[in-house]
Amino acid sequence: MCWAFAIITIVALIVPTAISQTWRELLEKAEAYSEMSKRDSAVVFGRLALDKVIAERGESDTATATVLFNMGRYFRSASNFVQAESAFVKSLRIRTMRLGNEHTEVAVNMYLLGRLCFSQGRYAEAKAWYEKSLTIREKELGQNHLLVGVTLNS
């Protein structure tokens, strides 16, 4: 019960000021809260940013994909794996549709989906995501790039 009251209080304090902020400003606040390990506040600001970016740019814009990607990170850090996966998959669909199958931002989504699956013991799925990410990163960045090494170590 206390947790629900805390969320309602946070929303009551945030919403009036959030109305005048851009989706980028809201996302920056979400990121700041995430860095302070204030996951509930990060999610609240992330959802406000998502609502605003969808209203301004639509559900299939790359900006929407960016907000969804960050929401996936916030949910993952809060161990809310179902919502994290949903956000990452939606972001991946948008990025693939808008940027193509071999864009480095698509590879980042795949890599984090791999990490998410791995953290849940879904090793075969994690491996598949890592391999897809690695293929894109090697092609787009070269075999000696740091991110290729990061992916190989996963």
Side-chain angles (χ1 to χ4, degrees):
M1 190 66 165
C2 291
W3 182 82
F5 179 74
I7 294 296
I8 291 168
T9 303
I10 290 169
V11 171
L13 293 171
I14 293 171
V15 171
T17 59
I19 291 171
S20 64
Q21 295 179 322
T22 68
W23 68 267
R24 283 190 181 98
E25 291 169 330
L26 293 166
L27 191 59
E28 287 172 7
K29 283 190 176 185
E31 191 63 28
Y33 280 117
S34 177
E35 290 173 6
M36 293 185 285
S37 295
K38 295 184 177 183
R39 293 173 185 96
D40 291 336
S41 296
V43 169
V44 169
F45 274 102
R47 286 182 192 216
L48 291 169
L50 183 60
D51 290 344
K52 193 160 264 198
V53 76
I54 289 171
E56 290 177 13
R57 300 219 178 166
E59 291 187 4
S60 61
D61 191 83
T62 55
T64 302
T66 298
V67 176
L68 284 165
F69 176 82
N70 285 319
M71 290 294 296
R73 290 179 39 247
Y74 308 147
F75 286 130
R76 182 178 177 269
S77 71
S79 299
N80 189 336
F81 300 131
V82 172
Q83 285 189 299
E85 186 167 2
S86 175
F88 283 141
V89 167
K90 288 176 186 175
S91 176
L92 177 62
R93 284 185 189 138
I94 296 167
R95 285 179 169 173
T96 301
M97 179 180 65
R98 293 289 185 179
L99 304 172
N101 292 329
E102 297 186 3
H103 195 279
T104 54
E105 288 186 28
V106 170
V108 172
N109 268 88
M110 292 175 174
Y111 176 76
L112 285 184
L113 276 163
R115 285 188 59 183
L116 181 68
C117 291
F118 187 86
S119 68
Q120 297 174 78
R122 296 163 42 199
Y123 302 119
E125 288 177 75
K127 182 180 178 188
W129 285 120
Y130 288 145
E131 288 174 348
K132 290 176 185 178
S133 176
L134 179 62
T135 299
I136 295 168
R137 285 178 167 176
E138 284 180 330
K139 182 177 180 183
E140 297 301 312
L141 303 173
Q143 291 185 342
N144 295 324
H145 195 278
L146 175 65
L147 291 176
V148 171
V150 168
T151 307
L152 283 169
N153 286 329
S154 298

